[in-house]
Amino acid sequence: MVARPSPPGRVANALGQGSLGTTGSSPCRISPVDPVLQPYFPSPHGPQHSHRHVRDCQPLKYGNVTHEAWPSDNSTAGPVATTRTFVSYVPPEGEDRRAIYGHFTFVRNPLRTFSVLEPGGIGGCQAHRRATVEETARLRRCLVAQNGGYFDMGTGECFGNVVSDGKLVRNSGGLQNAQFGIRKDGTMVFGYLSEEDVLDEANPFVQLVSGVVWLLRGGEVYISQSQLAECSDTQTTGTFDKFINVISARTAVGHNSQGQLVLVHVDGQTESRGVNLWEMAEFLKQQGLINAINLDGGGSATLVLNGTLASYPSEHCSFDSMWRCPRNISTVVCIHEPSCEPTDCSGHGTCVQGQCRCAGAFWRGPACDILDCGPSNCSLHGVCTDSCTPGFYGAACARECRCQNGGSCDPVHGACSCPAGYHGTSCEQECPVGWYGPNCQERCPCEHSCPCDQETGSCNITSSQLNKAGQCLASQSKGRSKEKFSLSEKTWITTTSVLALLLVISAMGNIGLFFKARSERRHEGGDYLYQPLRKMNGEASPTSSLAAWETEDAQDQNQALL
């Protein structure tokens, strides 16, 4: 922010007046509302009569036309805008003449280089936002920026009609104040508009801002007629007269005979420096302007060049009354590098320094909206579209695709993109078992690596695919049988452990029984008596008796060994 010292001896006087109050984050001192630069104070902004009243009260030579239209310059040679600083005298001669200073900005091709901006960016009017010209200009990268339309000093509400870059931000409902706008075809419009004019869709406004007082109409001062058009209520006539006749900082927008848009800024301070509207109109007429309207002025008058404050603000900074700071204001008129038309390059390119750079191999033209399919209308292979007719590719779509099974080829190189279920350089092969989808890029999610539907990947394969799935289905059935009758690994381990434990217990029991039996036999062996067989079975031969005894003795020995 740049602050400049005020002239000596005028600080105290300025502290008490101020053209308009201020709120927001500006470092300016909050000064009392100055009704002198509020044309309708204390009534609501704007006249209360209709557009018909304006039409009926204007001079007969204009007929029913309440505005002037002028074709704008559309040249691209030279810089976008030229700003010139002036120091002049008003009136030009006489003892009462005084020096005035300010800037003229001459703008080429305003259809592409001029914009009306909402305060602080998009949505500023709806939010009743206020911001300095520097802040708003920075967002849009404005080369030149000035304050624009009027606004409510208490609420921040934007007054009048506002169209910003083709978007209707605010409709005043037919309020009859001087307007400036640019239509879609580049026509500049100055004057009074009906609501129907504002909402016209045949040739809509792409930029529109409202001022107060039509300064020049057709090269002639139009203030008297403008006063009748914009102030018919006798209760506000006195206020409106003061608004016109007081000297102050002023801003205006107009055009010259070459169709160049002209922004005008005059430095000043209400009732101390600057010009009144009569002087402003005469000065613009002398500079060759044809039509011009007055925009917000006084403490709102601000000029920013390349992001830097270039004007002398009339309001005092809050941190030190010696310095001046710019006010938070409403809409801004902005000069910027040319934008593309349309801004999105018809959706077929990108905007680079005001020129559309078309994308792809088929779109041409300044707006990337001309479809160029090559010679002989696509080589007689179809209707010209942004891609070749299916089945053809290459320059002028002259080469035939080799893709099979419904595959599509790249319109430039001819590479095949295979549909679901096929792969190969020409989409000639079906997906191998276990794969599916376009170009067979997806693996089947089925269990046991079973095949799936080659197009959808579904594991519920059709009967035509059962032959391919024979081995897999057999494996699947076997697996299901095993799952049905077998036990889990944990169950097997548990069962085996139990059986092993039982086996060990059984073995130990058998060993215990064995040692018990042996002990019992040894105990009974001490009382064992041998009875001759002859006593039990009768007489026997000595030989038989001896043999029997030997047999029994041998058995006893065997048992002893055990």
Side-chain angles (χ1 to χ4, degrees), residues 88-92 100 104 216 219 221 278-290:
S88 189
Y89 292 93
V90 174
I100 60 171
F104 277 79
L216 293 178
V221 177
W278 293 102
E279 294 167 338
M280 183 74 163
E282 287 289 348
F283 184 61
L284 299 184
K285 180 180 177 180
Q286 293 172 10
Q287 305 307 314
L289 271 65
I290 308 300

Side-chain angles (χ1 to χ4, degrees), residues 9-76:
R10 294 187 179 178
V11 174
N13 182 42
L15 283 174
Q17 53 165 329
S19 62
L20 296 171
T22 182
T23 59
S25 59
S26 171
C28 297
R29 183 185 302 275
I30 299 177
S31 57
V33 174
D34 179 11
V36 176
L37 282 184
Q38 294 192 60
Y40 300 99
F41 182 85
S43 301
H45 183 84
Q48 304 303 309
H49 51 247
S50 66
H51 179 260
R52 179 175 180 177
H53 171 86
V54 173
R55 183 191 63 192
D56 293 343
C57 292
Q58 70 180 0
L60 293 176
K61 67 176 182 178
Y62 298 114
N64 292 327
V65 180
T66 59
H67 58 268
E68 297 293 331
W70 196 279
S72 63
D73 170 79
N74 61 2
S75 64
T76 57

Side-chain angles (χ1 to χ4, degrees), residues 31-277:
S31 57
V33 174
D34 179 11
V36 176
L37 282 184
Q38 294 192 60
Y40 300 99
F41 182 85
S43 301
H45 183 84
Q48 304 303 309
H49 51 247
S50 66
H51 179 260
R52 179 175 180 177
H53 171 86
V54 173
R55 183 191 63 192
D56 293 343
C57 292
Q58 70 180 0
L60 293 176
K61 67 176 182 178
Y62 298 114
N64 292 327
V65 180
T66 59
H67 58 268
E68 297 293 331
W70 196 279
S72 63
D73 170 79
N74 61 2
S75 64
T76 57
V80 170
T82 302
T83 298
R84 294 175 181 153
T85 303
F86 69 85
V87 176
S88 189
Y89 292 93
V90 174
E93 297 178 350
E95 296 181 357
D96 296 332
R97 72 174 189 166
R98 61 187 182 279
I100 60 171
Y101 42 91
H103 301 80
F104 277 79
T105 300
F106 301 89
V107 184
R108 294 181 175 87
N109 199 6
L111 176 63
R112 296 177 59 196
T113 60
F114 173 83
S115 293
V116 176
L117 306 181
E118 297 182 71
I122 296 174
C125 280
Q126 183 178 359
H128 293 185
R129 187 185 303 138
R130 293 173 59 186
T132 63
V133 174
E134 290 175 275
E135 178 184 347
T136 302
R138 189 181 306 115
L139 298 174
R140 190 63 169 81
R141 298 182 178 179
C142 301
L143 303 175
V144 182
Q146 287 184 188
N147 60 291
Y150 288 80
F151 59 98
D152 189 303
M153 298 304 301
T155 66
E157 177 186 4
C158 300
F159 284 154
N161 297 303
V162 179
V163 176
S164 176
D165 293 332
K167 178 184 178 182
L168 179 62
V169 173
R170 190 177 190 277
N171 176 10
S172 69
L175 194 68
Q176 294 305 297
N177 283 122
Q179 314 277 324
F180 165 68
I182 301 179
R183 292 191 181 274
K184 186 177 181 180
D185 64 356
T187 300
M188 296 184 292
V189 177
F190 295 82
Y192 303 111
L193 304 172
S194 66
E195 188 172 13
E196 289 75 15
D197 292 328
V198 173
L199 301 178
D200 176 43
E201 295 183 357
N203 187 19
F205 281 101
V206 293
Q207 312 293 341
L208 184 62
V209 63
S210 297
V212 175
V213 178
W214 192 350
L215 299 174
L216 293 178
R217 182 174 187 179
E220 299 297 330
V221 177
Y222 200 68
I223 294 178
S224 295
Q225 298 88 336
S226 182
Q227 188 171 2
L228 292 175
E230 298 188 47
C231 183
S232 61
D233 189 345
T234 57
Q235 293 181 353
T236 60
T237 300
T239 300
F240 205 85
D241 283 338
K242 292 179 181 178
F243 166 77
I244 292 174
N245 291 299
V246 68
I247 64 170
S248 187
R250 303 287 186 174
T251 57
V253 58
H255 74 90
N256 59 20
S257 59
Q258 288 78 41
Q260 292 180 332
L261 180 68
V262 182
L263 301 182
V264 185
H265 167 267
V266 178
D267 270 311
Q269 182 171 311
T270 305
E271 297 181 336
S272 298
R273 296 178 288 115
V275 294
N276 62 39
L277 292 187

Side-chain angles (χ1 to χ4, degrees), residues 521-529:
R521 286 180 179 272
R522 287 181 177 177
H523 179 72
E524 293 176 354
D527 299 329
Y528 194 87
L529 296 176

Side-chain angles (χ1 to χ4, degrees), residues 317-373:
C317 300
S318 60
F319 56 83
D320 190 338
S321 61
M322 176 180 177
W323 307 102
R324 304 299 177 99
C325 291
R327 171 188 289 174
N328 289 332
I329 54 93
S330 184
T331 53
V332 168
V333 292
C334 166
I335 308 303
H336 49 74
E337 290 291 345
S339 57
C340 292
E341 181 58 38
T343 55
D344 65 347
C345 296
S346 306
H348 305 301
T350 55
C351 183
V352 179
Q353 296 182 346
Q355 300 293 328
C356 285
R357 293 185 179 179
C358 304
F362 302 102
W363 293 101
R364 303 285 186 271
C368 298
D369 58 350
I370 300 173
L371 194 59
D372 182 7
C373 293

